[in-house]
Amino acid sequence: MEESQKKDALGRKLAALDKKGWFPPELLALVEAVCRLQEETRASLTVSVDPAQVRGDLEHRQGAPLLPREAFPVDVQGAEKLFLSLLDVTESLPQLRTPSQLVRDRLVRGEIEPAALFRAYAAEDEAPFAAWEALAPDAPKLLPFLVYNAMEPWLEATGAALLAQRPQLDVWPYGHCPVCGSPAFIGHLSAPEPSRNEGRDINKGGKRLHVCSYCRADFRAKRLQCPFCLEEDQKKLDYFTVDSETGYQVHVCRTCKSYIKIADFRELFGRTFMPALDDLESLALDMAAQKEGFHRLAPSEWGL
Ligand SMILES: [Zn+2]
Ligand SMILES: [Zn+2]
């Protein structure tokens, strides 16, 4: 997508969120600011991946991700700058002011350090985030939110660069992202491609693509398989929709009790899939799925 198209799509998404009427204006202001800051960062960004760290074909076909999370090249200075800009935004919002000031105090006193937080997030080291939760029970997700969104432009760019180097043409049959090994957080059904005859899958109505919660790579998944525990027994798999949320489905697995939301905009002209924003827009489906006892593996980044 071109940058200008992306901007239009962002504007339309924000309008759609606003129209729902139940997202607090503060949250929408935050979403917009985060998207714009990340967009600015992305515009001036280059990543280079050390080829020696990228896994070979054989290992990859057996399920090994191309690059471990910790090896993603994040420019620490750039990400730190973005971290501080994001913190300015959260600090300006009344609901997040107090916990944001607490983050700032801890930074100033040297009790937390962005570079160390980035490393911990990449390595899935829960310790600094658990410490934060204990300190700020009212905003337990604020710190991981700031950390992830500060790293996101580099993670996404690296994911895209790796996918360009090693296109994933086949269905990926494993329960994690082929690029970095993290779980998917949302998915969508791709628009039909009538001009290219790739077989029955397309005629049936689109490929199922999942989006990684860490590097944002999208990759093809089996239509009928739990993306986490790999259950394929159709009696254990099910999906449902919520009347007020056209364009979204929840796919559940009764074996591992997990779910994933799938956007299907094939019949809805003018709707563009923007994973992080669609995740927010379809919040009603999370509530419905969780009420039924299902859980999601990759938590929503907006769960502030
Ligand atoms: Zn990934
Ligand atoms: Zn499952």
Side-chain angles (χ1 to χ4, degrees), residues 72 177-182 212-217 219:
F72 273 60
C177 166
V179 177
C180 76
S182 308
C212 174
S213 57
Y214 185 70
C215 75
R216 300 287 204 235
F219 54 93

Side-chain angles (χ1 to χ4, degrees), residues 59-134:
E59 264 184 295
H60 183 55
R61 262 184 277 135
Q62 289 167 345
L66 289 175
L67 192 70
R69 289 166 56 116
E70 304 92 293
F72 273 60
V74 173
D75 167 27
V76 173
Q77 276 186 336
E80 190 166 338
K81 189 170 158 242
L82 182 52
F83 181 95
L84 293 172
S85 303
L86 293 168
L87 183 58
D88 286 340
V89 175
T90 58
E91 208 170 6
S92 73
L93 302 171
Q95 273 203 328
L96 291 171
R97 183 163 302 145
T98 307
S100 301
Q101 282 167 348
L102 184 57
V103 171
R104 198 176 293 280
D105 286 350
R106 294 183 51 86
L107 280 174
V108 170
R109 289 202 297 263
E111 289 161 358
I112 52 174
E113 193 212 334
L117 292 170
F118 300 150
R119 278 197 304 276
Y121 194 96
E124 297 179 274
D125 169 8
E126 299 280 341
F129 303 107
W132 166 259
E133 269 186 41

Side-chain angles (χ1 to χ4, degrees), residues 226-231 237 253-258:
C226 169
F228 307 112
C229 77
L230 310 182
E231 180 63 80
L237 303 172
C253 169
R254 300 194 194 285
T255 301
C256 70
K257 298 296 274 175
S258 68

Side-chain angles (χ1 to χ4, degrees), residues 18-36:
D18 193 27
K19 220 176 121 195
K20 296 230 181 270
W22 48 274
F23 286 108
E26 276 200 10
L27 178 62
L28 297 182
L30 176 65
V31 170
E32 181 165 11
V34 170
C35 291
R36 302 232 182 266

Side-chain angles (χ1 to χ4, degrees), residues 29 33 63 94 100 119 134 156 161 165 192 221 242 255 265 279:
S100 301
R119 278 197 304 276
E156 183 177 336
Q165 268 175 38
V242 169
T255 301
F265 297 157
D279 189 18

Side-chain angles (χ1 to χ4, degrees), residues 227-246:
F228 307 112
C229 77
L230 310 182
E231 180 63 80
E232 294 195 29
D233 181 351
Q234 293 185 33
K235 290 193 287 294
K236 305 277 190 190
L237 303 172
D238 202 359
Y239 81 93
F240 63 88
T241 56
V242 169
D243 281 346
S244 59
E245 305 298 323
T246 46

